[in-house]
């Protein structure tokens, strides 16, 4: 066959293949509906420079998952050189384009990442495959086209070729992740460096941020079951809002107690709530550790004033605030009648409607009607403070979905 005829045949085959692909794509659109529009290059770069849209902007970037950075992981002063961190996270909403945030907040040396993927799709940072995150800093990736399904597990992996320690992490995740090197793959219950996954969503109205302590983080729940109350809430919302879990075990409204409770709610509000992509509503579930954890707060008014200050700051950024009553803990090691009286006094003011825009009565949802200072036995994880999966479902089911809408103004709990 003459070369020119061969070229002509090849061109015809290519054209036919392109036409077939276009027909398939058109048919797929008819069956599945319109997808998200690809980002133009200018928007891609702008998104990387401005990772968090203002809460009132109505932008299309919405958090599908977050983890509040807790501190520096012990034993990782030299970082994790030559290892791949594979964080497994559970999404709340889906999208066709995603971006990730890496944090080196508690690191004292630069963090270098030379490979990053979301469900095996390569991720870049300002067009490069390698990124260096300064000590105390963070980096937001470029948008990556990757299908993100709602209510599903997502793998976010990256390799650290050299130091970058200590590692900024979130422990007690109740999720199995992995740490990989040339010799082995080991499981871990820590999320490392990763603090957010955002998606472009045409459907979601914004994000609801669950701002709390171990009861929000899910202590006592089944590992990998995604049974935390924010997970339950996300299921109920059905994609209308993303749900960002900003719970930290041991967290307090003010001050830092013993253990790994991280920075107080007062100190981390800007980072873990106001900085969440698409944040519109925050559910505040803090205060029980101020009551029962050393050093205990004996004045309920100080707790209430701190909660009210959180509300004022969130209002200044246009967010709606829903507050949760404090749940029972009689039988836990730190319980005393005096401390329980502080809890009751805080709850009384929350129920009065003078602290938050609306409230959800977590106390009423899980207490034992026959012994109201105790958790219902069928909801108790065993330590009389934390809940099991059924207990967390009771909390997630208690939230009045209408109370989360920013334009509404009810102050009563869902009954």
């Amino acid at each position: 066959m003459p070369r020119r005829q061969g070229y002509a045949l090849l061109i015809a085959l290519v054209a036919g293949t392109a036409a077939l692909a276009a027909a398939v794509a058109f048919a797929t659109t008819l069956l599945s509906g319109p997808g998200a529009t690809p980002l133009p290059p200018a928007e891609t770069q702008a998104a990387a420079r401005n990772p968090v849209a203002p809460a009132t902007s109505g932008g299309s970037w919405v958090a599908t998952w977050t983890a509040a950075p807790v501190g520096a992981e012990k034993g990782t002063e030299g970082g994790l050189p030559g290892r791949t961190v594979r964080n497994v996270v559970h999404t709340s909403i889906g999208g066709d384009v995603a971006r990730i945030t890496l944090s080196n907040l508690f690191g004292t040396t630069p963090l270098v990442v030379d490979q990053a993927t979301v469900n095996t799709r390569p991720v870049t940072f300002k067009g490069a495959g390698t990124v260096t995150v300064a000590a105390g800093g963070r980096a937001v990736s470029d948008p990556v086209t990757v299908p993100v399904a709602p209510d599903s597990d997502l793998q976010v992996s990256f390799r650290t070729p050299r130091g970058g320690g200590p590692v900024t992490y979130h422990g007690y995740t109740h999720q199995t992740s992995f740490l990989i090197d040339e010799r082995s793959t080991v499981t871990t219950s820590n999320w490392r460096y990763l603090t957010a996954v955002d998606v472009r969503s045409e459907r979601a109205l914004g994000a609801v941020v669950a701002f709390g302590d171990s009861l929000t983080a899910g202590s006592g729940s089944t590992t990998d079951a995604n049974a935390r109350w924010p997970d339950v809430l996300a299921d109920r919302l059905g994609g209308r809002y993303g749900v960002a879990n900003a719970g930290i075990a041991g967290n307090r409204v003010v001050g830092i107690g013993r253990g790994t409770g991280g920075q107080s709610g007062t100190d981390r509000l800007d980072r873990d709530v106001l900085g969440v992509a698409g944040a519109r509503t925050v559910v505040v579930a803090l205060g029980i550790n101020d009551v029962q954890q050393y050093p205990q707060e004996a004045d309920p008014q100080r707790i209430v004033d701190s909660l009210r200050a959180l509300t004022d700051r969130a209002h200044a950024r246009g967010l709606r605030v829903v507050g949760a009553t404090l749940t029972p803990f009689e039988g836990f090691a730190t319980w005393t009648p005096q401390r329980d009286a502080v809890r009751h006094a805080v709850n009384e003011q929350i129920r009065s409607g003078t602290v938050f825009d609306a409230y959800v009565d977590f106390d009423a949802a899980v207490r034992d009607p026959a012994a109201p200072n105790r958790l219902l036995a069928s909801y108790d994880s065993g330590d009389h403070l934390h809940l099991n999966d059924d207990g967390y479902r009771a909390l997630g089911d208690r939230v009045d979905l209408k109370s989360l809408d920013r334009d509404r103004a009810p102050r009563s709990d869902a009954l």
Side-chain angles (χ1 to χ4, degrees):
M1 177 183 294
R3 180 177 296 179
R4 180 173 297 178
Q5 290 181 1
Y7 284 154
L9 179 59
L10 178 61
I11 291 169
L13 288 173
V14 170
T17 301
L20 178 60
V24 171
F26 178 70
T28 301
T29 301
L30 289 177
L31 291 172
S32 61
T37 304
L39 286 170
E43 185 178 344
T44 296
Q45 295 303 317
R49 291 193 302 269
N50 183 25
V52 178
T56 58
S57 71
S60 59
W61 281 115
V62 180
T64 185
W65 172 91
T66 63
V70 175
E73 183 179 0
K74 292 182 179 179
T76 65
E77 289 74 15
L80 299 169
R83 295 183 180 181
T84 295
V85 176
R86 180 170 296 161
N87 293 298
V88 178
V89 305
H90 194 74
T91 64
S92 56
I93 58 171
D96 297 321
V97 178
R99 67 184 182 188
I100 63 174
T101 300
L102 303 181
S103 173
N104 194 23
L105 178 62
F106 298 103
T108 57
T109 59
L111 165 67
V112 177
V113 170
D114 65 356
Q115 296 175 11
T117 60
V118 175
N119 275 4
T120 74
R121 298 287 180 94
V123 176
T124 60
F125 295 81
K126 295 185 178 178
T130 298
V131 64
T132 299
V133 187
R138 69 171 187 170
V140 180
S141 78
D142 301 328
V144 55
T145 301
V146 57
V148 176
D151 190 25
S152 66
D153 288 343
L154 192 73
Q155 294 189 2
V156 181
S157 302
F158 40 86
R159 191 173 82 100
T160 56
R162 50 186 180 273
V167 173
T168 296
Y169 86 117
H170 181 108
Y172 308 106
T173 66
H174 315 288
Q175 196 97 36
T176 302
S177 293
F178 303 90
L179 191 60
I180 304 166
D181 61 21
E182 295 178 350
R183 299 182 301 273
S184 64
T185 297
V186 297
T187 60
T188 176
S189 61
N190 293 343
W191 287 316
R192 296 178 168 99
Y193 296 124
L194 182 70
T195 58
V197 179
D198 305 328
V199 295
R200 289 185 73 233
S201 175
E202 302 300 328
R203 180 186 177 195
L205 300 176
V208 175
V209 184
F211 190 48
D213 46 41
S214 57
L215 295 170
T216 298
S219 294
S221 65
T222 302
T223 297
D224 296 328
N226 301 300
R228 314 164 191 87
W229 72 258
D231 297 319
V232 175
L233 178 61
D235 292 343
R236 293 181 61 211
L237 286 168
R240 288 181 58 230
Y241 292 94
V243 176
N245 191 328
I248 294 179
N251 202 228
R252 302 166 67 109
V253 178
V254 291
I256 299 176
R258 286 191 305 202
T260 57
Q263 295 169 295
S264 71
T266 297
D267 292 336
R268 68 188 184 95
L269 180 74
D270 286 2
R271 182 191 71 210
D272 295 341
V273 176
L274 306 184
V276 170
R280 290 173 61 93
T281 300
V282 54
V283 180
V284 179
L286 286 169
I288 193 62
N289 288 322
D290 298 78
V291 172
Q292 64 85 21
Q293 188 184 80
Y294 180 85
Q296 290 88 1
E297 177 55 67
D299 183 357
Q301 193 59 48
R302 291 185 60 181
I303 297 174
V304 170
D305 289 346
S306 297
L307 294 173
R308 189 173 284 118
L310 292 180
T311 299
D312 291 341
R313 289 168 59 191
H315 282 168
R317 288 288 298 274
L319 271 67
R320 179 169 175 77
V321 186
V322 178
T325 55
L326 310 186
T327 53
F329 69 107
E330 184 178 353
F332 191 67
T334 60
W335 187 90
T336 67
Q338 293 77 19
R339 290 168 190 164
D340 205 38
V342 175
R343 179 181 72 91
H344 282 291
V346 172
N347 284 348
E348 182 179 0
Q349 291 208 48
I350 290 175
R351 292 186 180 109
S352 74
T354 61
V355 183
F356 304 109
D357 297 320
Y359 75 90
V360 52
D361 205 335
F362 279 178
D363 172 37
V366 296
R367 68 191 178 204
D368 184 343
N373 293 329
R374 286 181 173 269
L375 294 174
L376 191 67
S378 59
Y379 291 160
D380 193 340
S381 69
D383 67 3
H384 310 301
L385 173 66
H386 300 102
L387 302 166
N388 58 24
D389 294 357
D390 289 338
Y392 287 122
R393 176 160 296 280
L395 297 188
D397 285 343
R398 186 76 182 193
V399 179
D400 179 2
L401 301 187
K402 293 180 181 179
S403 74
L404 303 176
D405 291 337
R406 195 169 60 192
D407 295 332
R408 291 180 177 267
R411 292 183 175 272
S412 60
D413 173 58
L415 299 176

